[in-house]
Amino acid sequence: EVQLVESGGGLVQRGGSLRLSCAASGLTFSSSALSWVRQAPGKGLEWVSGISGSGGVTYYADSVKGRFTISRDNSKNTLYLQMKSLRAEDTAVYYCALLKPNLQGFFDSWGQGTRVTVSS
Amino acid sequence: DIQMTQSPSTLSASVGDRVTITCRASQSVSTFLAWYQQRPGKAPKVLIYKTSTLGSGVPSRFSGSGSGTEFTLTISRLQPDDFATYYCQQYFNYPQTFGQGTKVEI
């Protein structure tokens, strides 16, 4: 069974930085495309970023391009999201999700989410 | 970006009802369409992918159909666990985009 466990969320000031982590198990990590999806309070789902199994291909939503960096450590089965220049509109629950069948896929498994609050 | 529009935004129903949710895409997404269920305070869960393929462990009362720009999710006989918010999502093009959600309430 695939398990994705996010961590690293918290309260940060506007303009600040935060790094989210997602520890994965129950899958062939280095072959698995992964993504971050967020959900602002009371709102719908928004795809944020995706990364291929090797880490060689990455994609970003326009709303975070240039501020967020997705990466992975295949030796640690861990996905990351480095967030900089945070804005109030980045306040959300951030989910790590497994993409199937590939980077341009649907979200097959989800973590429980980690909450990020950007204070102004 | 491809825009996904769901209707209705809210749906009131009773246990045992047949429920249909519609998702329209701003351009063709072929059959690269998934549906998710999200209960309050929980992560989303995939119900259906590739328009009509049930996710692992998903009850057969859920079904999906459509192609191109118009898709439907049908719940044949609503159960108490099914009161939740449902999202469609296209993965034909980057970025993957979601509908705004349909809340199914009692």
Side-chain angles (χ1 to χ4, degrees):
Chain A
E1 181 192 359
V2 173
Q3 284 204 320
L4 302 169
V5 179
E6 302 94 336
S7 60
L11 177 64
V12 61
Q13 285 193 329
R14 185 176 56 186
S17 299
L18 209 56
R19 189 177 83 156
L20 306 183
S21 299
C22 172
S25 60
L27 71 167
T28 306
F29 189 79
S30 60
S31 301
S32 300
L34 294 165
S35 188
W36 290 97
V37 177
R38 69 184 180 184
Q39 187 170 36
K43 302 297 184 183
L45 301 167
E46 179 190 16
W47 170 80
V48 172
S49 184
I51 188 168
S52 63
S54 67
V57 180
T58 58
Y59 292 108
Y60 297 93
D62 286 345
S63 58
V64 306
K65 203 173 291 183
R67 300 187 299 120
F68 289 11
T69 302
I70 191 171
S71 63
R72 61 193 297 157
D73 186 337
N74 286 351
S75 68
K76 295 183 178 178
N77 283 13
T78 303
L79 173 72
Y80 302 101
L81 186 67
Q82 177 69 51
M83 304 185 295
K84 298 180 179 179
S85 303
L86 283 161
R87 306 167 179 167
E89 55 265 36
D90 295 319
T91 294
V93 174
Y94 285 74
Y95 295 102
C96 165
L98 170 66
L99 287 157
K100 286 283 185 74
N102 51 42
L103 188 53
Q104 189 170 315
F106 65 94
F107 306 102
D108 189 55
S109 298
W110 299 66
Q112 85 289 350
T114 188
R115 187 173 301 275
V116 173
T117 303
V118 182
S119 68
S120 52
Chain B
D1 297 2
I2 298 176
Q3 306 302 316
M4 306 301 291
T5 304
Q6 291 180 229
S7 59
S9 295
T10 307
L11 189 159
S12 296
S14 302
V15 171
D17 284 355
R18 180 183 179 88
V19 163
T20 298
I21 298 169
T22 298
C23 176
R24 288 186 173 87
S26 60
Q27 64 188 75
S28 176
V29 299
S30 183
T31 56
F32 295 99
L33 193 285
W35 291 95
Y36 302 87
Q37 178 192 65
Q38 186 178 34
R39 297 189 178 104
K42 300 294 186 183
K45 168 190 169 184
V46 65
L47 293 175
I48 288 171
Y49 60 94
K50 205 63 166 40
T51 296
S52 59
T53 302
L54 283 182
S56 176
V58 175
S60 58
R61 63 180 180 273
F62 292 93
S63 63
S65 64
S67 67
T69 61
E70 189 153 335
F71 301 86
T72 58
L73 171 70
T74 301
I75 309 172
S76 60
R77 293 174 71 171
L78 205 61
Q79 298 299 300
D81 271 353
D82 301 338
F83 291 96
T85 299
Y86 295 83
Y87 295 92
C88 63
Q89 174 240 335
Q90 68 80 20
Y91 53 105
F92 178 73
N93 262 353
Y94 251 89
Q96 293 109 324
T97 45
F98 293 91
Q100 81 281 11
T102 295
K103 184 176 181 180
V104 176
E105 58 183 24
I106 300 173

